Amino acid sequence: MRSRLRSTIKWSCTLLTVLLLVMWVGSAWWWGGVDRAPASYVGMSAGRIGIGWREPWSITSMTGDWVFVRSSLRIQWWFEGRKVASGGTTFSTVLMPMWPLVVLAATPTIWIWWHDRRSPPTGCRNCGYDLRGAAHEVCPECGATPKGLTVTS
């Protein structure tokens, strides 16, 4: 059961990491999001996720429309906040780079894949050092006891 859960977590993290990476790289060429004009929008562009709203804050019952627009190739790496006033209404936007999300998803993914790597059947279970050749009481590389590992030449 434990290995099944670990496998599920490993592949879920891998899928999430790949999806975020594709979205991050794809956002360099395409702007996409849900526009709930005139009240708010959520979207991604230039390697960032953007959230915008009208001030004072208002909630509308309008349905969102998906918008995808081709944009110029660019990736921006920083946070940004904007306020734009027009016609007596202030519109605020917060832009967050997607790379921290990619790093947050990739870190446990790399850790799980690293710890699930297999050592050769004649290797030390601790460090993977090849123990073929002479019989070893302990691993000459890390000092661990092979624990039931039969070493043959």
Side-chain angles (χ1 to χ4, degrees):
M1 177 68 176
R2 187 173 183 190
S3 66
R4 188 175 195 180
L5 177 63
R6 186 176 183 91
S7 178
T8 301
I9 291 171
K10 176 170 82 172
W11 285 104
S12 297
C13 285
T14 302
L15 181 65
L16 177 64
T17 302
V18 169
L19 180 65
L20 285 171
L21 193 59
V22 167
M23 287 171 53
W24 180 45
V25 172
S27 71
W29 289 279
W30 290 87
W31 178 91
V34 178
D35 191 6
R36 294 178 49 111
S40 61
Y41 78 89
V42 176
M44 60 181 189
S45 174
R48 300 181 297 181
I49 295 174
I51 300 169
W53 62 92
R54 184 176 66 191
E55 292 181 6
W57 182 262
S58 64
I59 298 175
T60 63
S61 60
M62 297 170 57
T63 59
D65 294 325
W66 282 97
V67 177
F68 286 98
V69 178
R70 188 153 172 79
S71 64
S72 61
L73 175 62
R74 62 189 173 140
I75 294 280
Q76 295 177 353
W77 302 87
W78 54 88
F79 290 86
E80 186 179 340
R82 297 183 197 153
K83 280 194 174 196
V84 177
S86 67
T89 303
T90 304
F91 198 77
S92 297
T93 304
V94 175
L95 298 165
M96 180 187 128
M98 290 181 71
W99 67 263
L101 299 175
V102 173
V103 169
L104 282 174
T107 301
T109 304
I110 292 168
W111 184 84
I112 289 173
W113 279 95
W114 179 260
H115 284 282
D116 280 356
R117 73 191 191 288
R118 295 187 178 158
S119 61
T122 58
C124 173
R125 291 185 183 164
N126 189 37
C127 67
Y129 183 78
D130 189 3
L131 296 173
R132 285 181 291 185
H136 298 282
E137 293 294 323
V138 295
C139 174
E141 187 73 19
C142 69
T145 307
K147 293 185 181 169
L149 182 63
T150 306
V151 180
T152 59
S153 6

